Amino acid sequence: MIKFLDLYKINERHRKEIDTRIKQVLDSGWYLLGKEDENFEKNFAAYCGTKHCIGCANGLEALTLIIRAMGFNKGDEIIVPANTYIASILAISENGCTPVLVEPDIKTYNIDPDLIEEKITPKTKAIMVVHLYGQAVEMEKIWNLAEKYNLKVIEDSAQAHGAIYQGKRTGNLSDASGFSFYPGKNLGCLGDGGCVTTNDAELAQKIRAIRNYGSHIKYHNIYKGINSRLDEIQAAVLDVKLKELDNDNNHRRKIAKYYIDNIKNPEIILPETYDKDAHVWHIFAIRTKDRNRLQEYLKDNGIQTLIHYPIPPHKQECYKEWNNLSFPITEKIHNEILSLPISPVMTMEETATVCKVINKF
Ligand SMILES: *Cc1c(COP(=O)(O)O)cnc(C)c1O
C-alpha cells in the first residue's frame, strides 16, 4: 500500500540522534522552558530570518497567543480565508474577536487579495493570511492594504515551514506568525508543539509572558496568561529535524514536479505555483468533479488519499451563525479537492505508480 504519510519512517531516519537528545533531556532533570527550548527558538528564528521565536504548545495556541498579545477587544474583526483549516478561525473566536471570511483564489487556494478591501470596516484590526497547503501567500497586496487601513498582518504558517516569498521565509512576512509542529507537518515533533515568530521585540516579550501564566518572574503575573509551553523533549526533537527541513522540502518539490509532469488526465485539475521556492507542498491537492469515486478507485488500487478539508468552516455546527452564508469558491474546493500522498520518505517509484493509476481513471 502507498501510505498518505508514513510518520514512523519519517522519524526512524533520525532514530539515533533523537534517542540521544531525549536521553540528554531525561538526564538533565529539567523538562520545561530550559536549554532545549532556548536553543530551538534561536535556531528556528535564524531559519525563518526573524529576530524572535517563542515556543508554545501547538499551532492553535500560537495564533491565539498572537491575537491575545496584540490586545484586540471583543468584537474587533479579523479577516481570514474562508477555506482555511478551522484552527485559524478558532484562534480568532477564542479571543472574542469576529472572524470575517474572505473567499480564496481558485488557482492558488490562498486568500484572494482582491476580495479583502470590500470586507474592511472600522472594526477591522488585522488580516490573517494562511499559507495553505504549503504555498506562501503573495503578500504584496496584503501589505499594501494593511498600510492603507493601519491593520496588523498575521501569518498562519502551520503548513508552510520554509516556503519563500520575495526571498523571505514564511514566519517573516508579517507582524507575527504562528507555526504548528504537529507530527504530520513539514516540521513535526513527537506530539504537540508550536511557536510564534516575529520581529517585534515588545510583542515577543508579551507572548513569552502570556504563554507562561502571564509572568516573566515566577508568581508575578502581569497578564491573565495561559499555559502554552513547548516542552524540552519536543524542542530537542525539533532541533534534530530542523536540520533536514530544507532537504525534506526539496524532496516534496521533486514529487510535486513529477506529479505535475506526469499526471495526464483531463478529469483532473493540478495545483499551480507562481514560483518553485514559494511552495513546500505540505499537501498536494488535485481537484476533480468525481472526487469521491476517484478516492474509492485509488483506495482499491492501494493508494491512500485524504481530503483537506471535507466541510468548510462556515458549514460547521460550531459556527451555526454562518451556516446560511454562501461562499461558492470555498464550497467548490471542498467538494472537489483530494490530497495525494507526498512526504520526504515517499519514493519516486511510488510516485510513478500513483501517476499511472490516476492516468487510467
Ligand atoms: C495544523 C494547523 C493548525 C493548528 O496546529 P495544531 O498544532 O494542530 O494546533 C493551524 N492552522 C493550519 C492551517 C493548520 O494546518
Side-chain angles (χ1 to χ4, degrees), residues 58-61 63 84-85 87-88 130 132 156 158-159 179-182 185 192-193 282 309:
N58 55 63
L60 171 59
E61 288 181 350
L63 297 169
T84 185
Y85 179 57
S88 328
V130 182
L132 202 68
D156 179 342
Q159 302 190 354
F179 284 91
S180 163
F181 303 123
Y182 177 80
K185 307 288 182 179
D192 275 317
H282 174 58
Y309 298 90

Side-chain angles (χ1 to χ4, degrees), residues 1-14:
M1 205 204 24
I2 301 179
K3 277 196 182 180
F4 182 76
L5 182 69
D6 192 333
L7 283 176
Y8 173 81
K9 245 180 157 178
I10 286 178
N11 291 318
E12 183 60 21
R13 301 175 301 162
H14 308 290

Side-chain angles (χ1 to χ4, degrees), residues 245-259:
L245 178 57
D246 282 340
N247 286 337
D248 285 356
N249 283 342
N250 283 333
H251 188 73
R252 288 174 182 271
R253 288 185 177 116
K254 198 170 147 192
I255 292 171
K257 183 171 185 327
Y258 192 93
Y259 276 149

